[in-house]
Amino acid sequence: MLIGSFVVRGLGFSYPFLSYHLDGLGFSTSTTGWIVAAFGAGYLIGQIACGWLSDRIGQRATLVTAMAAAAVFLPALGELRSTTGVFVAAYLTGVIYDAARPVVSAVIADAIPTEAEQARVNGWRHFAINSGAALTGALGGYLAVRIGTGALFWINAAACAAFGFVALCFLPGRHVAVHPQAERTGYGEALRDGRLWLLSLASLCALICAGGVFTALPILMTADGLDAAAYGTTQVANGTAVVLLSPLLTPWLSHRAGAKSPMTGLLAASGLILGVAMGAAGLSDSTLSYSFAAALAVPGEILLFIAAGDLVTRIAPPQSRGLYAGLWGTNLAMAIMIAPVMTAWALDHGGDLTASAVFFGIGLVSAALCWPLHSSIHEVKTSPAIRESRPPRLSRRR
């Protein structure tokens, strides 16, 4: 699953190069914006749907079906020329683009018994995904010049088909852990879980900063007159930091996950680090300073994904881990849509200083939300009456 995640992310050219592809087809800026928005909407729906399906029809069936669909939708997006056809294909591609994320989360939670080992595997999963992201930009740019952007969608489709075949061969035909005695949690109950709301809000704020490294940085750098090559340098710095820091932080975080207390403190730290990193980006004006900000964000990214994964596993009913992982995954989809819009607004209403303050403020909000989150998890864990009931609503205590 980790190797498959790396390959699918590393060859996942469809989203990063979608705008370039649409520009090559002659679409207007406005039309391109709507098509990219359709992709984002599909991404959000796909996280929920795939998480829900992994609990209902099984992890293998969900992943194989999603990857088979990707093998059809991705070439269609690369070959279609009509506005309507491209719009529909972009939406459907968004649905399956990151379908593996909630499914693999559920596989890890079910197949690995201890929280420390889950954190270790999630750390290497984050390493694989981010290493793949670094490969996407470098390899995709090289191939786009030589074989065209349309061919990138076929390569993406082949990677998804290969991952689906691996899932078909190696994943069991049913859940690794089956809970016949437990009733599955539905959307209604999950959405009434106050802990999930607090975790989602804290994660969304941190993810806006983390996503800003990829979506807001180009806007900030363009405003400072820096070209695409300079942006590529920042991504190399970010990827290098991932390679260097992941082997150092992952063992420590694995040990920390084995403790009884939830990783809310580390989630708060991730929000602060990411807020500071993107705040520094807002004040940057050179390739070197932007690269430093991109590298500074990496410890926050590692803490965020490992701590959030640990907390999702802690609060999710065992029979509904896919659903909870999928609902959490929607925060990533929302973050990559919010970050560029928020950055453009900040630049229009105060410039670099405002952008810096907004990002830093969002990081502070993320950290502040971890306080009531920690209290709500502790209350549920220590109260048998609450533990045996359905997920709690947000506390109204003053």
PDB file of all heavy atoms in Angstrom, residues 22-45:
ATOM      1  N   LEU A  22      -5.518  22.536 -20.028  1.00  0.00           N
ATOM      2  CA  LEU A  22      -6.680  23.309 -20.476  1.00  0.00           C
ATOM      3  C   LEU A  22      -6.247  24.535 -21.266  1.00  0.00           C
ATOM      4  O   LEU A  22      -6.900  24.928 -22.238  1.00  0.00           O
ATOM      5  CB  LEU A  22      -7.523  23.716 -19.265  1.00  0.00           C
ATOM      6  CG  LEU A  22      -8.135  22.559 -18.463  1.00  0.00           C
ATOM      7  CD1 LEU A  22      -8.838  23.093 -17.223  1.00  0.00           C
ATOM      8  CD2 LEU A  22      -9.101  21.750 -19.315  1.00  0.00           C
ATOM      9  N   ASP A  23      -5.163  25.150 -20.847  1.00  0.00           N
ATOM     10  CA  ASP A  23      -4.640  26.292 -21.591  1.00  0.00           C
ATOM     11  C   ASP A  23      -4.212  25.875 -22.998  1.00  0.00           C
ATOM     12  O   ASP A  23      -4.452  26.601 -23.975  1.00  0.00           O
ATOM     13  CB  ASP A  23      -3.447  26.895 -20.835  1.00  0.00           C
ATOM     14  CG  ASP A  23      -2.871  28.105 -21.548  1.00  0.00           C
ATOM     15  OD1 ASP A  23      -3.574  29.135 -21.625  1.00  0.00           O
ATOM     16  OD2 ASP A  23      -1.720  28.024 -22.045  1.00  0.00           O
ATOM     17  N   GLY A  24      -3.608  24.693 -23.093  1.00  0.00           N
ATOM     18  CA  GLY A  24      -3.212  24.186 -24.405  1.00  0.00           C
ATOM     19  C   GLY A  24      -4.395  23.884 -25.301  1.00  0.00           C
ATOM     20  O   GLY A  24      -4.278  23.927 -26.538  1.00  0.00           O
ATOM     21  N   LEU A  25      -5.550  23.577 -24.703  1.00  0.00           N
ATOM     22  CA  LEU A  25      -6.761  23.316 -25.491  1.00  0.00           C
ATOM     23  C   LEU A  25      -7.466  24.609 -25.901  1.00  0.00           C
ATOM     24  O   LEU A  25      -8.442  24.559 -26.643  1.00  0.00           O
ATOM     25  CB  LEU A  25      -7.733  22.449 -24.685  1.00  0.00           C
ATOM     26  CG  LEU A  25      -7.268  21.019 -24.362  1.00  0.00           C
ATOM     27  CD1 LEU A  25      -8.323  20.289 -23.537  1.00  0.00           C
ATOM     28  CD2 LEU A  25      -6.978  20.244 -25.639  1.00  0.00           C
ATOM     29  N   GLY A  26      -6.989  25.739 -25.400  1.00  0.00           N
ATOM     30  CA  GLY A  26      -7.565  27.017 -25.793  1.00  0.00           C
ATOM     31  C   GLY A  26      -8.713  27.502 -24.943  1.00  0.00           C
ATOM     32  O   GLY A  26      -9.416  28.442 -25.332  1.00  0.00           O
ATOM     33  N   PHE A  27      -8.935  26.900 -23.773  1.00  0.00           N
ATOM     34  CA  PHE A  27     -10.012  27.355 -22.893  1.00  0.00           C
ATOM     35  C   PHE A  27      -9.657  28.702 -22.275  1.00  0.00           C
ATOM     36  O   PHE A  27      -8.479  28.985 -21.994  1.00  0.00           O
ATOM     37  CB  PHE A  27     -10.278  26.333 -21.793  1.00  0.00           C
ATOM     38  CG  PHE A  27     -10.957  25.080 -22.272  1.00  0.00           C
ATOM     39  CD1 PHE A  27     -10.293  23.865 -22.257  1.00  0.00           C
ATOM     40  CD2 PHE A  27     -12.268  25.116 -22.725  1.00  0.00           C
ATOM     41  CE1 PHE A  27     -10.911  22.716 -22.699  1.00  0.00           C
ATOM     42  CE2 PHE A  27     -12.896  23.963 -23.161  1.00  0.00           C
ATOM     43  CZ  PHE A  27     -12.226  22.756 -23.155  1.00  0.00           C
ATOM     44  N   SER A  28     -10.678  29.525 -22.043  1.00  0.00           N
ATOM     45  CA  SER A  28     -10.470  30.821 -21.411  1.00  0.00           C
ATOM     46  C   SER A  28     -10.107  30.633 -19.942  1.00  0.00           C
ATOM     47  O   SER A  28     -10.317  29.561 -19.364  1.00  0.00           O
ATOM     48  CB  SER A  28     -11.727  31.680 -21.525  1.00  0.00           C
ATOM     49  OG  SER A  28     -12.783  31.127 -20.759  1.00  0.00           O
ATOM     50  N   THR A  29      -9.608  31.701 -19.340  1.00  0.00           N
ATOM     51  CA  THR A  29      -9.248  31.642 -17.927  1.00  0.00           C
ATOM     52  C   THR A  29     -10.460  31.342 -17.063  1.00  0.00           C
ATOM     53  O   THR A  29     -10.387  30.558 -16.106  1.00  0.00           O
ATOM     54  CB  THR A  29      -8.615  32.974 -17.489  1.00  0.00           C
ATOM     55  OG1 THR A  29      -7.461  33.237 -18.296  1.00  0.00           O
ATOM     56  CG2 THR A  29      -8.204  32.924 -16.025  1.00  0.00           C
ATOM     57  N   SER A  30     -11.591  31.944 -17.407  1.00  0.00           N
ATOM     58  CA  SER A  30     -12.815  31.729 -16.638  1.00  0.00           C
ATOM     59  C   SER A  30     -13.259  30.270 -16.723  1.00  0.00           C
ATOM     60  O   SER A  30     -13.604  29.644 -15.713  1.00  0.00           O
ATOM     61  CB  SER A  30     -13.923  32.646 -17.147  1.00  0.00           C
ATOM     62  OG  SER A  30     -15.146  32.383 -16.498  1.00  0.00           O
ATOM     63  N   THR A  31     -13.265  29.713 -17.933  1.00  0.00           N
ATOM     64  CA  THR A  31     -13.676  28.316 -18.116  1.00  0.00           C
ATOM     65  C   THR A  31     -12.723  27.370 -17.396  1.00  0.00           C
ATOM     66  O   THR A  31     -13.145  26.401 -16.759  1.00  0.00           O
ATOM     67  CB  THR A  31     -13.722  27.968 -19.611  1.00  0.00           C
ATOM     68  OG1 THR A  31     -14.632  28.850 -20.275  1.00  0.00           O
ATOM     69  CG2 THR A  31     -14.178  26.529 -19.818  1.00  0.00           C
ATOM     70  N   THR A  32     -11.437  27.662 -17.483  1.00  0.00           N
ATOM     71  CA  THR A  32     -10.447  26.842 -16.779  1.00  0.00           C
ATOM     72  C   THR A  32     -10.704  26.851 -15.278  1.00  0.00           C
ATOM     73  O   THR A  32     -10.627  25.808 -14.613  1.00  0.00           O
ATOM     74  CB  THR A  32      -9.023  27.366 -17.067  1.00  0.00           C
ATOM     75  OG1 THR A  32      -8.739  27.217 -18.457  1.00  0.00           O
ATOM     76  CG2 THR A  32      -7.990  26.592 -16.256  1.00  0.00           C
ATOM     77  N   GLY A  33     -11.037  28.026 -14.755  1.00  0.00           N
ATOM     78  CA  GLY A  33     -11.328  28.122 -13.328  1.00  0.00           C
ATOM     79  C   GLY A  33     -12.502  27.254 -12.922  1.00  0.00           C
ATOM     80  O   GLY A  33     -12.452  26.570 -11.889  1.00  0.00           O
ATOM     81  N   TRP A  34     -13.560  27.244 -13.726  1.00  0.00           N
ATOM     82  CA  TRP A  34     -14.731  26.416 -13.410  1.00  0.00           C
ATOM     83  C   TRP A  34     -14.404  24.927 -13.518  1.00  0.00           C
ATOM     84  O   TRP A  34     -14.876  24.112 -12.713  1.00  0.00           O
ATOM     85  CB  TRP A  34     -15.888  26.761 -14.338  1.00  0.00           C
ATOM     86  CG  TRP A  34     -16.614  28.007 -13.948  1.00  0.00           C
ATOM     87  CD1 TRP A  34     -16.555  29.232 -14.558  1.00  0.00           C
ATOM     88  CD2 TRP A  34     -17.488  28.161 -12.826  1.00  0.00           C
ATOM     89  NE1 TRP A  34     -17.341  30.138 -13.884  1.00  0.00           N
ATOM     90  CE2 TRP A  34     -17.924  29.514 -12.825  1.00  0.00           C
ATOM     91  CE3 TRP A  34     -17.938  27.314 -11.832  1.00  0.00           C
ATOM     92  CZ2 TRP A  34     -18.800  30.015 -11.864  1.00  0.00           C
ATOM     93  CZ3 TRP A  34     -18.812  27.805 -10.871  1.00  0.00           C
ATOM     94  CH2 TRP A  34     -19.231  29.141 -10.889  1.00  0.00           C
ATOM     95  N   ILE A  35     -13.594  24.557 -14.483  1.00  0.00           N
ATOM     96  CA  ILE A  35     -13.236  23.141 -14.637  1.00  0.00           C
ATOM     97  C   ILE A  35     -12.367  22.676 -13.470  1.00  0.00           C
ATOM     98  O   ILE A  35     -12.580  21.580 -12.922  1.00  0.00           O
ATOM     99  CB  ILE A  35     -12.519  22.916 -15.985  1.00  0.00           C
ATOM    100  CG1 ILE A  35     -13.499  23.146 -17.146  1.00  0.00           C
ATOM    101  CG2 ILE A  35     -11.937  21.504 -16.063  1.00  0.00           C
ATOM    102  CD1 ILE A  35     -12.844  23.115 -18.512  1.00  0.00           C
ATOM    103  N   VAL A  36     -11.417  23.497 -13.062  1.00  0.00           N
ATOM    104  CA  VAL A  36     -10.581  23.144 -11.912  1.00  0.00           C
ATOM    105  C   VAL A  36     -11.429  23.074 -10.646  1.00  0.00           C
ATOM    106  O   VAL A  36     -11.224  22.207  -9.783  1.00  0.00           O
ATOM    107  CB  VAL A  36      -9.430  24.161 -11.746  1.00  0.00           C
ATOM    108  CG1 VAL A  36      -8.656  23.902 -10.455  1.00  0.00           C
ATOM    109  CG2 VAL A  36      -8.483  24.087 -12.940  1.00  0.00           C
ATOM    110  N   ALA A  37     -12.423  23.972 -10.532  1.00  0.00           N
ATOM    111  CA  ALA A  37     -13.328  23.930  -9.384  1.00  0.00           C
ATOM    112  C   ALA A  37     -14.148  22.642  -9.380  1.00  0.00           C
ATOM    113  O   ALA A  37     -14.407  22.055  -8.322  1.00  0.00           O
ATOM    114  CB  ALA A  37     -14.255  25.141  -9.399  1.00  0.00           C
ATOM    115  N   ALA A  38     -14.557  22.187 -10.564  1.00  0.00           N
ATOM    116  CA  ALA A  38     -15.292  20.921 -10.665  1.00  0.00           C
ATOM    117  C   ALA A  38     -14.422  19.756 -10.196  1.00  0.00           C
ATOM    118  O   ALA A  38     -14.896  18.838  -9.511  1.00  0.00           O
ATOM    119  CB  ALA A  38     -15.752  20.692 -12.108  1.00  0.00           C
ATOM    120  N   PHE A  39     -13.150  19.791 -10.556  1.00  0.00           N
ATOM    121  CA  PHE A  39     -12.217  18.773 -10.078  1.00  0.00           C
ATOM    122  C   PHE A  39     -12.160  18.791  -8.547  1.00  0.00           C
ATOM    123  O   PHE A  39     -12.212  17.748  -7.901  1.00  0.00           O
ATOM    124  CB  PHE A  39     -10.831  19.030 -10.669  1.00  0.00           C
ATOM    125  CG  PHE A  39      -9.809  17.970 -10.367  1.00  0.00           C
ATOM    126  CD1 PHE A  39      -9.471  17.037 -11.316  1.00  0.00           C
ATOM    127  CD2 PHE A  39      -9.180  17.899  -9.126  1.00  0.00           C
ATOM    128  CE1 PHE A  39      -8.517  16.046 -11.053  1.00  0.00           C
ATOM    129  CE2 PHE A  39      -8.243  16.924  -8.839  1.00  0.00           C
ATOM    130  CZ  PHE A  39      -7.909  15.998  -9.808  1.00  0.00           C
ATOM    131  N   GLY A  40     -12.056  19.989  -7.974  1.00  0.00           N
ATOM    132  CA  GLY A  40     -12.000  20.116  -6.517  1.00  0.00           C
ATOM    133  C   GLY A  40     -13.263  19.609  -5.835  1.00  0.00           C
ATOM    134  O   GLY A  40     -13.205  18.954  -4.789  1.00  0.00           O
ATOM    135  N   ALA A  41     -14.427  19.896  -6.442  1.00  0.00           N
ATOM    136  CA  ALA A  41     -15.690  19.413  -5.878  1.00  0.00           C
ATOM    137  C   ALA A  41     -15.738  17.888  -5.905  1.00  0.00           C
ATOM    138  O   ALA A  41     -16.185  17.237  -4.951  1.00  0.00           O
ATOM    139  CB  ALA A  41     -16.861  19.995  -6.646  1.00  0.00           C
ATOM    140  N   GLY A  42     -15.267  17.303  -7.005  1.00  0.00           N
ATOM    141  CA  GLY A  42     -15.218  15.850  -7.095  1.00  0.00           C
ATOM    142  C   GLY A  42     -14.270  15.257  -6.077  1.00  0.00           C
ATOM    143  O   GLY A  42     -14.553  14.208  -5.477  1.00  0.00           O
ATOM    144  N   TYR A  43     -13.147  15.926  -5.848  1.00  0.00           N
ATOM    145  CA  TYR A  43     -12.165  15.487  -4.846  1.00  0.00           C
ATOM    146  C   TYR A  43     -12.822  15.389  -3.481  1.00  0.00           C
ATOM    147  O   TYR A  43     -12.668  14.379  -2.763  1.00  0.00           O
ATOM    148  CB  TYR A  43     -11.016  16.497  -4.824  1.00  0.00           C
ATOM    149  CG  TYR A  43      -9.816  16.108  -4.009  1.00  0.00           C
ATOM    150  CD1 TYR A  43      -8.561  15.971  -4.603  1.00  0.00           C
ATOM    151  CD2 TYR A  43      -9.894  15.915  -2.635  1.00  0.00           C
ATOM    152  CE1 TYR A  43      -7.442  15.643  -3.850  1.00  0.00           C
ATOM    153  CE2 TYR A  43      -8.791  15.576  -1.874  1.00  0.00           C
ATOM    154  CZ  TYR A  43      -7.562  15.447  -2.488  1.00  0.00           C
ATOM    155  OH  TYR A  43      -6.461  15.116  -1.750  1.00  0.00           O
ATOM    156  N   LEU A  44     -13.585  16.414  -3.110  1.00  0.00           N
ATOM    157  CA  LEU A  44     -14.239  16.432  -1.803  1.00  0.00           C
ATOM    158  C   LEU A  44     -15.249  15.291  -1.674  1.00  0.00           C
ATOM    159  O   LEU A  44     -15.272  14.558  -0.682  1.00  0.00           O
ATOM    160  CB  LEU A  44     -14.913  17.781  -1.589  1.00  0.00           C
ATOM    161  CG  LEU A  44     -15.430  18.098  -0.186  1.00  0.00           C
ATOM    162  CD1 LEU A  44     -15.372  19.604   0.058  1.00  0.00           C
ATOM    163  CD2 LEU A  44     -16.858  17.618   0.000  1.00  0.00           C
ATOM    164  N   ILE A  45     -16.088  15.124  -2.691  1.00  0.00           N
ATOM    165  CA  ILE A  45     -17.098  14.057  -2.672  1.00  0.00           C
ATOM    166  C   ILE A  45     -16.427  12.687  -2.642  1.00  0.00           C
ATOM    167  O   ILE A  45     -16.879  11.762  -1.949  1.00  0.00           O
ATOM    168  CB  ILE A  45     -18.028  14.168  -3.894  1.00  0.00           C
ATOM    169  CG1 ILE A  45     -18.823  15.474  -3.834  1.00  0.00           C
ATOM    170  CG2 ILE A  45     -18.971  12.974  -3.965  1.00  0.00           C
ATOM    171  CD1 ILE A  45     -19.722  15.619  -2.638  1.00  0.00           C
TER     172      ILE A  45
END
